Amino acid sequence: MTPRRILSLWLPRLPTDRIRRELLRSGVPAEAGGSQSGAAKTKGKSPHIVVAKQNNALVITALDDVAARLGLAVGLPLANARAICPDIDVFDADEIADEQTLNGIADWCDRFTPLVALDPPHGLLLDITGCAHLFGGEAALMNALCDALRRRGFVVSAAIAGTPVCARALTRHAHGRIVAPGAELEAVAPLPVFTLGADDATTRGLRRAGLKTIGDVAARGRHEIAARFGVAFTALLEQALGQGDMPINPRKPPPDYIVEKRFAEPITTDGAIAMTLAGLARTLIAAMEKHGKGARHLEASFFRTDGAVRVIAVETGRPVARGEIVDRLFRERLDALIDPLDPGFGFDLVRLSAVRTESVVQEQRELDTHVQDNDEVSALIDRIAARIGSHRVVVHLPQDTHIPEREALSLPAQQHLVTAMRAEWPARIGNEPPLRPLRMFARPEPIEVKLAEVPDKPPRHFIWRRVTHTVVRAEGPERIAMEWWRTQEARPTRDYFRVEDESGLRFWLYRDGLYEAAENDDTVPPKWFVHGLFA
């Protein structure tokens, strides 16, 4: 069994690196910040710090290398920082922006492995087990990743080990360490105890006990450590020493099948992108056919040379096992994008993933015309959904209720087409006029009734949308009581009427409540609504 290999990334200056990148994109010189002194002058950059309110005082939560060389540190009050360096650039903390930046970096890291996990606040964990050889080995992979991040303006520290805790501890103290399987104890023994990532109280307790390094803690008996600092810390220590393991929690579930193509020269044209997707679709389908699988959810990922990643997804109603269908769906999706793909300086990697697959059931298609019809309908729904979104293509299923607005349930057509085709709706009675309108409003609209005979007659006149209608014909009432067994809230009884006005328009009206109930107690007087329109 191949031992697990985890690559840990730590971006200690993420907030200030993000701010500096934003300033450069907006055209503000990174050196802006007034007159500098000392180390700031030598580097030509003003010190940047990020502050947030803690205990009713502004304290530093992040800073760049220039500020660190001036003697500033995280946790220092802003007033003290200004006394040390009056010309620092101060920015408010923005955890949401920092999180978005970290997620963007994680998206870019998907090019190396699909198993990427967040390691808050400013770290990532990549499971590179079995894939490092694709990039020239672990050292080449780590160097390529770190060099790319540095070119984008990020300070980064990285390490590779057999467990996430060991790799994370190494990044907090030294950059570029690669620990061989089984050598975790030797690697972390000289590290300070704070690199374990335990809470502040535990770290202070270890130092007070004279345990300054991880090796000092490891030399003590496990029962002593557990009795003093708890079982959770003992488990953390064992994971750092390689004597225990903890699985990472990837941001996205790994796809069932992945195919990709890398380019020495980035592609930029629509024709090249379409040709690449068509080739990947054929390769993906061939891989799935070997296991009798078809795709239900597919994603195409486009990795730009500047680190931006664009993901396009399509879904299917039935398992797809034909490459031309996958190619056509993505063409439809790309043509309908409101925000078209922007290749920038080009895409150097295109990946096609089958996120969700199902077994393909073989059916007799030559003799059963219903199977062919269902396939055509399903394919049409897939194409429409690829253009306008799956949530906009719906089918209606009957419900066991007599409340009009609940009699039909709208569900995505791709997932419920077969159920909708088998659903049984109430049969229409002979030559009788329809009991329900062709168009029913999502929400009944209130109307003003000038005159209606009590207790159960339709209105003579009503005003709807500022237009007065005179009723010349009416049918009803159809009395519908609310379902008291499904809700604790008391709902009034409705009386529905089919009415026609002097111009021939036919409405479906109802009175919400009974006049007798309003006369006998203090309930709200009945109100009138229009619920739909007949053809």
Side-chain angles (χ1 to χ4, degrees):
M1 182 177 177
T2 304
R4 272 218 314 165
R5 304 297 287 167
I6 303 296
L7 190 156
S8 174
L9 287 178
W10 184 42
L11 296 96
R13 312 296 189 197
L14 178 66
T16 53
D17 291 342
R18 171 186 61 80
I19 292 170
R20 196 175 294 276
R21 282 165 52 88
E22 292 175 353
L23 292 175
L24 290 174
R25 281 196 297 265
S26 62
V28 178
E31 296 81 7
S35 60
Q36 297 117 22
S37 60
K41 281 185 178 180
T42 62
K43 292 296 181 180
K45 295 181 180 179
S46 60
H48 288 20
I49 65 172
V50 177
V51 298
K53 182 173 287 188
Q54 297 179 4
N55 299 325
N56 295 323
L58 290 175
V59 300
I60 298 177
T61 59
L63 71 167
D64 62 3
D65 288 338
V66 180
R69 283 192 290 268
L70 292 174
L72 307 183
V74 173
L76 185 70
L78 176 59
N80 295 6
R82 287 197 183 279
I84 297 173
C85 180
D87 297 324
I88 54 176
D89 289 341
V90 182
F91 301 88
D92 292 329
D94 190 343
E95 294 182 359
I96 296 178
D98 294 340
E99 183 179 355
Q100 291 174 346
T101 302
L102 187 62
N103 276 286
I105 296 174
D107 288 337
W108 176 79
C109 288
D110 283 343
R111 64 170 54 231
F112 299 101
T113 172
L115 301 177
V116 180
L118 298 177
D119 184 20
H122 303 141
L124 296 173
L125 295 171
L126 285 68
D127 191 335
I128 59 171
T129 306
C131 66
H133 67 281
L134 301 174
F135 305 92
E138 293 181 351
L141 169 60
M142 181 172 63
N143 292 334
L145 197 153
C146 294
D147 290 344
L149 289 174
R150 290 193 190 99
R151 287 195 299 269
R152 289 166 175 79
F154 292 100
V155 177
V156 60
S157 176
I160 298 176
T163 66
V165 177
C166 179
R168 183 196 300 122
L170 291 169
T171 60
R172 270 55 175 178
H173 191 263
H175 166 67
R177 292 289 303 277
I178 299 178
V179 181
E184 286 81 8
L185 173 58
E186 181 182 353
V188 301
L191 301 183
V193 291
F194 76 87
T195 59
L196 284 173
D199 57 85
D200 293 339
T202 300
T203 302
R204 287 194 300 269
L206 291 169
R207 289 174 176 171
R208 290 171 182 171
L211 306 176
K212 298 181 179 181
T213 66
I214 297 178
D216 295 337
V217 182
R220 297 298 183 95
R222 295 293 182 271
H223 63 283
E224 297 180 26
I225 301 298
R228 176 73 181 273
F229 301 103
V231 177
F233 176 76
T234 304
L236 184 69
L237 175 63
E238 292 179 348
Q239 292 165 17
L241 302 177
Q243 300 168 0
D245 199 3
M246 176 187 67
I248 67 173
N249 185 20
R251 302 163 55 246
K252 305 174 184 177
D256 294 341
Y257 296 86
I258 297 178
V259 293
E260 62 184 31
K261 187 171 184 179
R262 299 175 183 270
F263 302 91
E265 292 294 332
I267 59 174
T268 58
T269 63
D270 293 340
I273 293 172
M275 187 180 301
T276 301
L277 278 178
L280 291 176
R282 291 191 296 269
T283 306
L284 182 68
I285 292 299
M288 291 190 296
E289 279 182 347
K290 296 178 181 180
H291 303 91
K293 298 291 185 178
R296 287 293 306 274
H297 183 95
L298 298 120
E299 288 184 353
S301 303
F302 303 88
F303 295 81
R304 269 187 0 194
T305 55
D306 62 353
V309 182
R310 185 74 182 274
V311 179
I312 307 297
V314 297
E315 294 186 3
T316 63
R318 293 187 171 191
V320 172
R322 294 173 57 190
E324 58 269 22
I325 295 179
V326 174
D327 180 34
R328 185 170 186 175
L329 289 177
F330 274 108
R331 287 177 184 268
E332 296 277 1
R333 187 76 185 99
L334 291 171
D335 291 342
L337 288 177
I338 298 176
D339 182 17
L341 284 179
D342 179 12
F345 292 104
F347 299 114
D348 60 355
L349 170 63
V350 178
R351 175 182 294 163
L352 185 60
S353 308
V355 178
R356 189 174 74 252
T357 60
E358 292 181 2
S359 298
V360 178
V361 179
Q362 300 296 331
E363 296 177 290
Q364 180 61 265
R365 301 177 183 275
E366 288 77 11
L367 302 178
D368 192 345
T369 58
H370 294 289
V371 173
Q372 298 180 16
D373 293 342
N374 292 348
D375 287 346
E376 293 177 359
V377 173
S378 180
L380 176 62
I381 291 174
D382 291 341
R383 290 173 55 193
I384 297 174
R387 278 194 166 272
I388 65 176
S390 59
H391 63 284
R392 292 190 173 96
V393 186
V394 299
V395 293
H396 296 90
L397 300 180
Q399 301 298 300
D400 184 17
T401 178
H402 56 269
I403 307 301
E405 59 267 29
R406 299 177 186 168
E407 287 183 344
L409 182 63
S410 298
L411 295 171
Q414 289 180 302
Q415 285 76 31
H416 301 88
L417 178 61
V418 176
T419 305
M421 290 180 172
R422 297 173 180 173
E424 297 183 3
W425 293 86
R428 182 173 174 179
I429 304 174
N431 296 324
E432 294 292 326
L435 299 179
R436 295 292 184 266
L438 182 64
R439 180 188 176 192
M440 186 181 296
F441 300 148
R443 292 184 179 181
E445 299 185 8
I447 59 176
E448 181 182 347
V449 173
K450 293 184 176 181
L451 180 62
E453 296 183 24
V454 296
D456 54 6
K457 296 295 183 181
R460 297 283 185 86
H461 309 275
F462 65 92
I463 300 176
W464 177 52
R465 296 181 178 176
R466 296 184 294 183
V467 177
T468 301
H469 300 268
T470 301
V471 177
V472 296
R473 295 181 182 87
E475 296 176 347
E478 177 189 356
R479 180 160 294 179
I480 297 179
M482 296 296 101
E483 297 173 336
W484 53 266
W485 60 91
R486 292 187 177 181
T487 178
Q488 299 295 329
E489 182 182 358
R491 304 293 299 274
T493 300
R494 296 178 183 176
D495 277 354
Y496 278 88
F497 298 89
R498 299 182 294 276
V499 304
E500 182 179 330
D501 68 359
E502 71 279 3
S503 61
L505 297 176
R506 303 188 70 229
F507 301 86
W508 200 36
L509 311 180
Y510 74 86
R511 183 184 63 245
D512 199 26
L514 304 176
Y515 286 111
E516 297 96 326
E519 293 175 355
N520 296 334
D521 53 36
D522 295 332
T523 57
V524 179
K527 298 179 181 179
W528 287 86
F529 297 86
V530 56
H531 204 165
L533 302 175
F534 290 92

